[in-house]
């Protein structure tokens, strides 16, 4: 049963000011008790508890930290249908999507549990003293340690996998950092259910009380959270404006902290000439399916298509417009997202160099219709509106005069999460020339697929150059995400009994370590 309470260090806490969840499918508020708006004192208490929990939590044996992550996954799955039903009601997303997202959330928690046990993330290095050298080399030993308490902002478009127990929370807890989550107002009931599961898991595994807290509230709550001196890093998935606002607050602190923000991308897809000639119709089918998935509310939606103008592109466009025009409108996550999507489409349609090609079946309140536009390559940079992300099922086709113009456009684009090549064997030579440009452009390069799908694996990068993310060296998906919340410490000539156990002689216990320059397991 939902109470609408906050979670501060394992305890529920109410507040006099409350807000109501929203059902986007019904375009109406959900009639329940409402959800507590955190005060600035609540935020300070959560941060203080996280600070108090930091050293005890970071010092726990890795097996206990991993057991906590596994217990969270078990507790989430134990919520059963109640979680799926509430998340569907608050997001307008279908049950199949939420069920899959619940599985992804549990699986990534268990993946990070295995990563913690593996220990390679500690990057252990030992350079033994060498008194025979001139000058003598000291004894040096290195490991990665957790940064400290982390603020995590829930995302609107993934109520489970990128929110209260999502990838940022999982990777921060895996690194040894307590977490204070700022719940997203689009799905407060879902967040409460998940927060309860995390709290029960923490109690069952004997974690320090302040290892997790959940606060809800408007902008001031998020700003106070990032500004609190006890917070040492921020994980954020959302709009460019929101991410940049948090970055400014973090940079203005007396002791600035990193903000790992995943923000904005249009994810260019390149249709190489031979692939387009061979399978224009099939490419159009795949494109429209990808564009419309989840009402286009993915950060990796294919918002830009680049191809050489001509009959083959005409075939692609004819098929895509026919399919898109028949698409039914879909419920969008929130009224604000729906309004912003309509505004973005209107600005593209009004741009002087843009041609509106097709729009799906007319939408009603709370829904978004898919849309497709085109522009000539020579006009692409004439108006900044062509470069803006339209968060929804909207895409812009760029008709390029030749590969040289296509390459020049790619070289001038802002940083992206993904870029995709559709190519056949005869396109490989041209694609080889493009790869250096694409590597500088995006964090993930796909071939003959569509970007709307991010596997949670060891080799995944969900990141990219600014403004796709605030730090192109990081990823918010995959086990490499743990690196965001760690920092290196080197110990020089410390007595053996003062060294961390993992850096003592023989203390690596099967963990990969670089010893005197050679990797050993």
């Amino acid at each position: 049963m939902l109470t609408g309470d906050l979670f501060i260090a394992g305890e529920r806490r109410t507040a006099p000011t409350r807000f109501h969840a929203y059902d986007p499918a019904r375009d109406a508020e959900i009639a329940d008790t409402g959800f507590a708006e955190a005060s600035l004192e609540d935020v300070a208490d959560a941060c203080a508890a996280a600070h108090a929990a930091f050293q005890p939590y970071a010092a726990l044996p890795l097996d206990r930290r991993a057991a906590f992550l596994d217990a969270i996954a078990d507790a989430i799955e134990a919520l059963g249908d109640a979680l799926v039903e509430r998340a569907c009601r608050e997001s307008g997303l279908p049950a199949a999507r939420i069920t899959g997202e619940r599985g992804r959330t549990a699986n990534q928690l268990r993946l990070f549990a295995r990563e913690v046990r593996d220990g390679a993330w500690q990057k252990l290095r030992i350079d033994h003293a060498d008194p025979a050298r001139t000058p003598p080399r000291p004894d040096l030993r290195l490991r990665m340690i957790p940064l400290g308490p982390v603020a995590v902002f829930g995302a609107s478009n993934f109520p489970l996998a990128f929110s209260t127990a999502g990838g940022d929370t999982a990777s921060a807890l895996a690194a040894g950092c307590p977490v204070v989550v700022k719940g997203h107002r689009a799905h407060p009931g879902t967040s409460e259910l998940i927060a309860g599961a995390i709290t029960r898991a923490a109690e069952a595994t004997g974690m320090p009380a302040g290892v997790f807290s959940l606060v809800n509230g408007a902008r001031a709550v998020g700003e106070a959270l990032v500004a609190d001196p006890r917070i040492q890093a921020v994980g954020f998935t959302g709009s460019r404006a929101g991410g940049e606002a948090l970055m400014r607050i973090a940079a203005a602190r007396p002791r600035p902290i990193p903000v790992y923000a995943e923000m904005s991308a249009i994810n260019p897809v390149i249709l190489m000439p031979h692939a387009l000639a061979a399978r224009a119709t099939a490419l159009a089918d795949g494109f429209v399916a990808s564009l419309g998935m989840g009402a286009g509310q993915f950060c990796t939606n294919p918002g830009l298509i680049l191809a050489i103008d001509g009959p083959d592109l005409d075939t692609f466009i004819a098929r895509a417009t026919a399919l898109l025009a028949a698409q039914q409108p879909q419920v969008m996550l929130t009224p604000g997202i729906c309004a912003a999507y309509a505004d973005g489409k209107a600005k593209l349609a009004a741009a002087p160099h843009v041609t509106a090609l097709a729009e799906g079946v007319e939408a009603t309140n709370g829904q978004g219709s898919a849309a497709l536009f085109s522009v000539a390559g020579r006009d692409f940079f004439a108006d900044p509106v062509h470069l803006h992300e339209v968060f929804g099922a909207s895409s812009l086709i760029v008709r390029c005069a030749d590969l040289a113009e296509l390459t020049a456009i790619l070289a001038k684009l802002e940083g992206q999460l993904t870029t995709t090549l559709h190519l056949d064997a005869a396109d490989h030579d041209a694609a080889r020339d493009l790869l250096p440009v694409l590597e500088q452009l995006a964090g993930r390069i796909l071939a003959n697929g569509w970007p709307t799908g991010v596997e949670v694996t060891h080799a995944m990068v969900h990141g990219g150059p600014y403004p796709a993310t605030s730090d192109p060296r990081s990823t918010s998906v995959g086990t490499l995400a743990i690196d965001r919340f760690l920092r290196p410490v080197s110990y020089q000539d410390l007595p053996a009994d003062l060294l961390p156990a993992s850096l003592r002689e023989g203390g690596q216990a099967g963990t990969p370590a670089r010893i005197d320059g050679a990797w050993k397991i």
Side-chain angles (χ1 to χ4, degrees), residues 37-127:
E37 296 258 13
S39 67
L40 298 187
E41 290 75 19
D42 293 326
V43 174
D45 288 349
C47 293
H51 178 72
F54 171 50
Q55 291 295 345
Y57 180 60
L60 288 174
L62 297 185
D63 237 10
R64 288 193 59 192
R65 197 187 299 175
F68 176 36
L69 294 169
D70 282 334
I72 297 172
D74 293 343
I76 288 172
E77 290 176 337
L79 291 169
D81 291 342
L83 175 63
V84 174
E85 291 166 3
R86 184 70 191 197
C88 289
R89 192 175 183 193
E90 290 183 331
S91 67
L93 296 170
R97 156 72 189 273
I98 294 296
T99 301
E101 194 179 325
R102 179 182 60 186
R104 170 179 169 167
T105 304
N107 289 341
Q108 68 189 3
L109 284 159
R110 294 187 176 114
L111 177 65
F112 275 108
R114 294 193 295 272
E115 185 74 0
V116 169
R117 292 187 178 100
D118 175 75
W121 54 272
Q122 298 172 90
K123 297 183 172 62
L124 303 179
R125 295 173 180 231
I126 298 175
D127 292 327

Side-chain angles (χ1 to χ4, degrees), residues 134-488:
T134 305
R137 184 176 75 187
D139 185 88
L140 290 164
R141 300 170 188 237
L142 179 149
R143 67 169 180 159
M144 304 296 285
I145 69 166
L147 286 176
V150 173
V152 171
F153 285 73
S156 63
N157 58 336
F158 281 87
L160 299 175
F162 276 85
S163 290
T164 306
D168 287 341
T169 296
S171 54
L173 292 174
C177 300
V179 170
V180 180
V181 172
K182 162 69 165 61
H184 200 286
R185 295 172 75 89
H187 38 77
T190 304
S191 296
E192 181 182 335
L193 290 171
I194 295 293
I198 297 173
T199 299
R200 289 190 293 276
E203 292 171 349
T205 55
M207 294 297 110
V211 74
F212 171 81
S213 293
L214 169 72
V215 294
N216 295 315
R219 178 179 297 179
V221 168
E223 292 174 348
L225 185 56
V226 176
D228 191 286
R230 290 157 292 204
I231 294 296
Q232 297 302 306
V234 177
F236 171 84
T237 299
S239 69
R240 181 169 177 175
E244 289 177 340
L246 299 185
M247 290 163 63
R248 287 191 293 270
I249 295 168
R253 289 173 36 147
R255 294 177 61 184
I257 59 171
V259 174
Y260 296 104
E262 187 263 278
M263 297 180 289
S264 175
I266 51 177
N267 305 298
V269 175
I270 302 115
L271 308 179
M272 298 297 285
H274 292 280
L276 187 59
R279 45 196 169 94
T281 298
L283 287 171
D285 291 350
F287 163 62
V288 173
S290 177
L291 181 68
M293 186 184 300
Q297 297 166 121
F298 289 90
C299 40
T300 54
N301 223 45
L304 191 69
I305 303 290
L306 295 98
I308 296 172
D309 205 2
D312 297 326
L313 182 56
D314 290 340
T315 300
F316 173 89
I317 289 174
R319 175 67 172 177
T321 54
L323 291 172
L324 192 142
Q327 278 207 342
Q328 294 297 315
Q330 296 182 65
V331 174
M332 302 198 77
L333 292 159
T334 69
I337 288 173
C338 190
Y341 176 59
D343 182 63
K345 288 195 301 180
K347 287 178 178 176
L348 267 177
H353 301 292
V354 169
T355 299
L357 297 174
E359 186 160 8
V361 175
E362 185 176 356
T364 58
N365 287 348
Q367 296 180 328
S369 295
L372 187 60
F373 305 88
S374 73
V375 66
R378 65 180 179 275
D379 299 321
F380 181 67
F381 289 105
D383 191 330
V385 74
H386 305 154
L387 298 165
H388 292 170
E389 178 186 25
V390 179
F391 189 66
S394 171
S395 190
L396 177 65
I397 296 174
V398 184
R399 293 179 172 270
C400 302
D402 49 33
L403 275 173
E405 184 174 77
L406 186 151
T407 304
I409 289 171
L410 289 170
K412 293 180 182 178
L413 285 178
E414 293 183 314
Q416 304 293 328
L417 293 169
T418 71
T419 186
T420 302
L421 284 164
H422 282 278
L423 72 170
D424 286 351
D427 295 308
H428 284 194
D429 286 343
R432 189 174 293 107
D433 293 337
L434 277 178
L435 277 173
V437 176
L438 302 184
E439 288 172 342
Q440 295 301 308
L441 177 61
R444 178 162 57 114
I445 303 169
L446 296 83
N448 294 328
W450 296 96
T452 40
V454 183
E455 293 291 332
V456 184
T457 69
H458 299 293
M460 175 53 67
V461 171
H462 187 61
Y466 189 86
T469 64
S470 55
D471 188 336
R473 300 166 297 177
S474 67
T475 176
S476 61
V477 176
T479 54
L480 196 62
I482 195 173
D483 286 356
R484 298 174 298 168
F485 306 119
L486 299 166
R487 67 178 180 88

